[in-house]
Amino acid sequence: MSLTRIVRNIFMPRCKELERYNNDAEAIQRQALEYLLEHAKETAYGRDHHFSDIRNYSDFAKSLPITTYEDLKGYIDRMRHGEKDVLWQGQVKWYAKSSGTTNDKSKFIPVTADGLKMMHYKGGFDTVACYLENNPKSRLFDGRALILGGSHASNYNLPHSLVGDLSAILIENINPLANLVRVPKKATALLSDFEVKRDRIARETMNKNVTNLSGVPSWMLSVLSRVLELSGKDNLLEVWPNLEVFFHGGVAFTPYHNQYHELIPSAAMHYMETYNASEGFFGLQNDPADPSLMLMIDYGIFYEFIPLEDISDGAIADPEHPHIVPLEDVKIGKNYAMVISTTCGLWRYMIGDTVRFTSKNPYKFVISGRTKHFINAFGEELIVDNAEKGLEYACEQTGAEVLEYTAAPVFMDNHAKCRHQWLVEFSKEPANLEEFAMVLDRKLQEENSDYEAKRYKDITLQHLEIIKARPNLFNDWLKMKGKLGGQHKIPRLSNCREHIEEMLKLNV
């Protein structure tokens, strides 16, 4: 008998439980808030904000401010130095490292034991449960899962305390039984040198019966390209004939659709999106015919939402009179900035993502963007502050002056080649444009650890490209769009190529 058929019985009861999402969302969220407050009332943050006196959502909203990483950084640094009961009960030993903020190169998000169990691993379990329910003929567990992971390092040299990619933390703490069905081996999965890791993963997996893939599309594409190089095959089905699904997340999948279809030319191949971030596991695609994600509401996460029109440059436009609603009050079709409180000690935390709901029974949504301009086509999470600091430094070093600019990704080709493309109007040109590009690229790596990781040895992200804009190009583009003058601004960073392509057509 198929192992998948046997294992399926472990997952199917959860599918029945998820039906509660249709009618009991308000009660489930109320229980989540009560759980969070009860288990954190004796923490430093809980005492500072009088958790013991909070009786309902209204009290909660009045007692706790909306926060960003900068607001919680002091608490988190105390935790990283070993202090207990700060943002969450007990001592927290794991910290997910992600791209930085205006003031820091990297963020260090606490990952508690409760968070691992109640959010991240539960999310993985539910992803498989929904997939098996939608695909009764699946042979998922009759082969291996190729799961990409990052790496980790010591946290302030404290014993058994580490910082690293969330994926590395998940692999490090996973149930040992899971290693029986996953590849590559743990030592390979946690390597920090991606060039070495990619080659070893390809060599370790190309002769295995891989049935499913899990990871970020850009990283995975690089690994799969290496598999084809080493195997000499034309497509992945010649390497892994039983490959049936790619569980993906981290960056938008749309730019990669065609490349994956070329690599895996099968109408039977499935693609399932998840919304799993350093801060928590928030959504999964439970219906293959619907690109919307189901909001996971019983993961020890309490959700709130801020209408996007009340956000200015990543912050609440009017902090004295914030307009914030709980899940039950969201409206379909409206864009919101998402706010979370979690078992990892993030309290009314603006994650930076914006969502738009498509359904309320159950609550389903699409990720509509970020609260700030950014590029996250390959997991680099480049923000405007990084760009401004990079350009300022490049101008200082080369004597140039920048008048206007915009940047967008050039998506990967079949050889996994990609880059950022910058369109820059100079008021004073640098003597050497290539030197300017080189200095800018180096500074961006210095400012943003995720960009630095993707640029490592040109494996995932190649050297940025600068195109010189003719005089008045950006004003002409604004005029063409009917937005010249007033408060209209040039989109500095964009995750798609719509704006830059329009400008390039005018750059003659």
Side-chain angles (χ1 to χ4, degrees), residues 461-477:
L461 192 63
Q462 279 70 56
H463 197 285
L464 64 82
E465 173 191 11
I466 291 184
I467 298 175
K468 187 174 68 175
R470 64 167 174 78
N472 297 314
L473 170 68
F474 291 92
N475 283 342
D476 289 346
W477 179 78

Side-chain angles (χ1 to χ4, degrees), residues 275 295 305 334-338 353-357 365-369:
Y275 181 12
L295 189 71
F305 300 89
K334 190 176 180 66
N335 281 305
Y336 294 95
M338 192 161 76
D353 289 330
T354 62
V355 299
R356 184 175 66 254
F357 283 90
F365 66 96
V366 294
I367 303 169
S368 54

Side-chain angles (χ1 to χ4, degrees), residues 68-285:
T68 62
Y69 183 78
E70 283 87 352
D71 299 316
L72 298 180
K73 181 185 174 185
Y75 289 98
I76 292 172
D77 205 49
R78 288 163 58 183
M79 297 164 70
R80 290 187 62 204
H81 280 90
E83 187 175 338
K84 298 179 180 179
D85 303 320
V86 181
L87 289 172
W88 191 249
Q89 58 187 1
Q91 186 175 21
V92 180
K93 296 183 177 182
W94 292 90
Y95 297 87
K97 182 180 178 182
S98 66
S99 65
T101 64
T102 297
N103 300 318
D104 295 283
K105 182 176 179 179
S106 299
K107 294 184 290 189
F108 299 92
I109 305 299
V111 181
T112 66
D114 288 330
L116 280 172
K117 178 181 177 182
M118 298 176 67
M119 291 191 295
H120 297 294
Y121 289 134
K122 192 173 184 179
F125 186 95
D126 286 352
T127 299
V128 174
C130 289
Y131 176 75
L132 292 177
E133 183 180 40
N134 289 323
N135 298 280
K137 295 182 179 179
S138 170
R139 302 292 295 270
L140 191 74
F141 289 99
D142 293 277
R144 301 294 189 93
L146 170 50
I147 303 175
L148 292 191
S151 61
H152 54 60
S154 176
N155 169 52
Y156 287 144
N157 293 316
L158 293 177
H160 312 297
S161 184
L162 298 173
V163 300
D165 297 321
L166 174 67
S167 55
I169 294 172
L170 297 178
I171 289 173
E172 191 67 57
N173 290 279
I174 201 169
N175 188 315
L177 291 176
N179 290 321
L180 299 177
V181 295
R182 59 167 292 277
V183 288
K185 60 186 179 182
K186 185 176 175 180
T188 299
L190 297 177
L191 283 170
S192 59
D193 187 323
F194 184 69
E195 186 175 24
V196 175
K197 176 189 288 190
R198 180 182 69 153
D199 187 72
R200 289 191 186 178
I201 290 174
R203 294 181 188 278
E204 288 181 25
T205 61
M206 58 190 289
N207 295 315
K208 303 290 186 182
N209 177 27
V210 173
T211 61
N212 60 102
L213 311 171
S214 295
V216 177
S218 51
W219 286 100
M220 184 63 76
L221 189 62
S222 184
V223 170
L224 299 182
S225 297
R226 184 59 178 154
V227 170
L228 287 184
E229 288 174 8
L230 291 173
S231 68
K233 304 296 185 182
D234 292 327
N235 64 69
L236 283 177
L237 294 180
E238 295 179 3
V239 182
W240 302 317
N242 297 314
L243 184 63
E244 60 176 84
V245 61
F246 178 24
F247 302 109
H248 61 86
V251 298
F253 188 63
T254 302
Y256 303 99
H257 261 301
N258 292 338
Q259 294 165 73
Y260 273 91
H261 289 318
E262 290 180 11
L263 285 174
I264 312 166
S266 169
M269 181 67 184
H270 303 284
Y271 298 89
M272 185 173 177
E273 184 174 2
T274 63
Y275 181 12
N276 190 16
S278 298
E279 295 85 354
F281 196 113
F282 307 120
L284 60 84
Q285 186 181 4

Side-chain angles (χ1 to χ4, degrees), residues 432-442 463-466:
N432 188 316
L433 195 61
E434 290 185 4
E435 180 190 2
F436 184 93
M438 181 179 66
V439 173
L440 174 59
D441 190 74
R442 280 203 310 261
H463 197 285
L464 64 82
E465 173 191 11
I466 291 184

